[in-house]
């Protein structure tokens, strides 16, 4: 392990972007990253008046897909939810936490965590935020009847199975104990790295009001009015309206326990990337959402860098783009590796991203302290690729079903490059383009041979949701006991020094097996007017930790 990696972990600022994604995101909870380019046409809906410092206009290229605090498959939904629902902790920088709903989050043995809820924290209907709300939220996530994207978080807690659901025969989590109105303990299945617990439980889980959601049948929560038209919140802003696919309207919570927001109204306006640029130039937007939600086309970044009054910052991202390979159809790792050797992964970084990104060797980018210098990308060697396929008895007469999601222009163009590269070594490719939801379902059904997918990653290196046997986002069909064992070892580690070599071994093993093809991680951009005090951070997913303190300076 290099000294640089260790110093990043324990001292220097880590440059990063989303999660979460979930779907993003997540995020953010790990999940496929929907990086579509938004709606077509010109911006419509509310407009900001010149000199108005009480209204913030934010540009989005992805519309929020959920207001349900238990369920956020896409990164845009999770991002909007963070305005309305608070987590126990906030993370303004990678691996650095501050208090939110939890005034303290402590452990003495790395297994039992004692949590105190802020005595001033209340819901917007006047009810106090209590330890019961936290316990209810965690139990709801673990309830098999509740639709959720947070199973990776709940699986840490004592009393859940490997999918994060309640152990058979149990009606509540044995690892969650309420000890007072504002206090509780959470016990994990085994000692864990406190950083893992703080991110996956403290930061990723948004606390829901028990007195609202507890009155709803668990199986009905997703379709309930509380989830689709929410009205009770703990966060700095409240839901006002959502014009589907056009804009989300939020209003300040004047009784917010961390201080009343200084900006009264926020609009997240949904538009395509080209319109986003023109609206910023025209002064109709104050910032982009960033992080795969408000995406500036790479070729237009330089235009905004040269625009007076616009500040652009470029940072590496935790997230990545991958060519997933159906491991159920291609059982031979030599075939899978051959497909990777056939691809020139530097080409899209240099040409499509104009150098604003990096080639990936594993699931960890340079933003992550868990990226290993010892694991290098498989070399581009089409002749070797063709020979490996011939040696493996590959059927060159059978076309590969190649799934490419639309919306992300760079990813679509890279799909064409990959098709061309494979064709040049004699592989027939049937490229099929899908809108993102259709492609995600196709991948989940394993109805493909190869395909393109963006993954949102957390700061913590746990990637179980993508490659563990039976995991929710394991769209490669990977079922490898060695990988499962390494993932378990990684979660069981209680320090960076203990965990780094485990994830380094995992990265090398995944490359040796050709589980998937890491392609590239594109830079993330923070774009905003120079008179906004606040906005997105270098660590994108933690950007809203101080949104209640953001201000717009008067331009008069």
């Amino acid at each position: 392990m290099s000294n640089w990696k260790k110093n990043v972990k324990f001292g220097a600022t880590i440059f990063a972007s989303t999660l979460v994604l979930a779907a993003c995101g997540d995020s953010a909870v790990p999940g496929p990253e929907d990086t579509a380019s938004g709606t077509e046409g010109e911006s419509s809906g509310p407009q900001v008046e010149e000199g108005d410092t009480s209204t913030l206009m934010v540009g989005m290229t992805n519309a929020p897909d959920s207001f349900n605090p238990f369920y956020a498959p896409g990164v845009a939904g999770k991002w909007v939810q963070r305005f309305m629902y608070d987590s126990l902790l906030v993370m303004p920088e990678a691996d650095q936490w501050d208090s939110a709903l939890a005034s303290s989050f402590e452990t003495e043995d790395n297994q039992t965590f004692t949590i105190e809820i802020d005595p001033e924290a209340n819901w917007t209907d006047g009810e106090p935020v209590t330890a019961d709300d936290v316990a209810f939220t965690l139990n709801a996530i673990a309830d098999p009847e509740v639709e959720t994207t947070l199973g990776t978080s709940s699986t840490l807690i004592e009393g859940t199975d490997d999918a994060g659901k309640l152990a058979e025969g149990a009606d509540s989590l044995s690892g969650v104990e309420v000890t007072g109105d504002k206090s509780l303990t959470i016990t994990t299945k085994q000692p864990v790295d406190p950083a893992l617990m703080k991110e996956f439980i403290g930061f990723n889980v948004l606390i829901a009001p028990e007195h609202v959601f507890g009155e709803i049948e668990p199986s009905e929560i997703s379709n309930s009015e509380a989830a689709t038209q929410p009205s009770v919140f703990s966060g700095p802003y409240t839901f006002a309206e959502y014009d589907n696919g056009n804009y989300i309207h939020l209003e300040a919570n004047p009784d917010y326990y961390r201080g009343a927001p200084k900006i009264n109204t926020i609009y997240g306006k949904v538009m395509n990337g080209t319109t986003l640029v023109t609206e910023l130039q025209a002064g109709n937007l104050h910032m982009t959402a960033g992080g795969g939600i408000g995406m500036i086309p790479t070729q237009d970044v330089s235009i905004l860098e040269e625009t007076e009054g616009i500040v652009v910052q470029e940072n590496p991202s935790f997230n990545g783009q991958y060519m997933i390979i159906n491991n159920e159809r291609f059982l031979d790792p030599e075939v899978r590796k051959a497909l990777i050797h056939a691809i020139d992964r530097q080409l899209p970084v240099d040409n499509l991203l104009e150098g604003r990104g990096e080639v990936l060797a594993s699931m960890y980018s340079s933003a992550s302290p868990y990226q290993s210098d010892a694991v290098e990308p498989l070399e581009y060697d089409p002749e070797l690729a063709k020979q490996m396929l011939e040696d493996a008895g590959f059927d060159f007469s059978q076309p590969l079903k190649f799934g490419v999601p639309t919306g992300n222009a760079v990813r679509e163009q890279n799909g064409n490059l990959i098709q061309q590269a494979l064709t040049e070594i004699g592989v027939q490719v049937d490229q099929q383009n899908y809108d993102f939801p259709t492609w995600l379902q196709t991948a989940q059904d394993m109805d493909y041979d190869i395909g393109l997918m963006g993954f949102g990653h957390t700061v913590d290196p746990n990637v179980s949701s993508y490659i563990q046997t039976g995991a929710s986002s394991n769209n490669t069909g990977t079922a490898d006991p060695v990988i499962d064992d390494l993932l378990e070892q990684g979660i069981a580690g209680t320090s960076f020094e203990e965990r780094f070599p485990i994830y380094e071994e995992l990265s090398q093993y995944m490359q040796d097996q050709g589980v998937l093809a890491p392609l590239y991680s594109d830079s993330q951009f923070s774009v905003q007017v120079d008179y906004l005090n606040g906005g997105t951070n270098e660590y994108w997913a933690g950007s809203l930790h101080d949104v209640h303190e953001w201000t717009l300076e008067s331009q008069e």
Side-chain angles (χ1 to χ4, degrees), residues 114-128:
T114 301
I115 298 166
E116 298 291 332
I117 305 301
D118 191 305
E120 302 301 319
N122 292 313
W123 299 103
T124 49
D125 61 1
E127 293 289 324

Side-chain angles (χ1 to χ4, degrees), residues 44 67 122 137 160 180 191 223 260 297 299 337 369 387-388 399 427 455 497 500 515 519 546:
S44 59
F67 304 125
N122 292 313
T137 300
T160 62
N223 297 320
Q299 65 270 21
K337 288 166 62 178
Q387 187 63 55
M388 290 175 67
V427 176
F455 288 165
E497 290 86 354
F500 181 89
V515 173
L519 298 177
D546 62 348

Side-chain angles (χ1 to χ4, degrees), residues 134-147:
V134 179
F136 166 76
T137 300
L138 296 175
N139 275 284
I141 293 169
D143 189 328
E145 297 295 318
V146 174
E147 185 177 22

Side-chain angles (χ1 to χ4, degrees), residues 4 6-15 93-96 538:
W4 179 83
K6 186 174 181 180
N7 290 339
V8 167
K9 178 70 176 182
F10 293 106
T13 299
I14 301 176
F15 294 103
E93 297 179 17
D95 263 2
Q96 299 293 320
E538 292 168 348

Side-chain angles (χ1 to χ4, degrees), residues 156-195:
L156 300 174
I157 302 173
E158 181 183 277
T160 62
D161 60 20
D162 290 342
K165 295 305 180 183
L166 285 170
E168 187 174 353
D171 56 10
S172 63
L173 290 170
S174 59
V176 177
E177 180 182 1
V178 173
T179 57
D181 288 345
K182 293 274 187 173
S183 60
L184 74 155
T185 61
I186 302 175
T187 302
T188 56
K189 296 173 181 176
Q190 58 193 2
V192 297
D193 185 348

Side-chain angles (χ1 to χ4, degrees), residues 325-381:
I325 303 171
N326 189 331
N327 284 226
E328 294 180 356
R329 294 186 182 179
F330 300 107
L331 300 177
D332 187 346
E334 293 302 300
V335 170
R336 301 194 296 259
K337 288 166 62 178
L339 296 175
I340 301 172
H341 280 297
I343 302 170
D344 184 351
R345 290 182 279 175
Q346 189 65 47
L347 188 61
V349 173
D350 291 343
N351 293 348
L352 302 181
L353 295 177
E354 299 180 355
R356 298 179 186 265
E358 61 184 283
V359 175
L360 291 177
S362 70
M363 298 186 82
Y364 306 112
S365 73
S366 62
S368 172
Y370 285 87
Q371 184 192 60
S372 170
D373 297 334
V375 182
E376 299 182 354
L378 289 177
E379 68 273 23
Y380 168 53
D381 191 334

Side-chain angles (χ1 to χ4, degrees), residues 15 301 305 312-316 355-357 523-526:
F15 294 103
V301 171
E305 288 176 328
V312 179
Q313 293 184 334
E314 177 179 354
N315 298 305
R356 298 179 186 265
S523 298
Q524 297 291 299
F525 298 94
S526 164

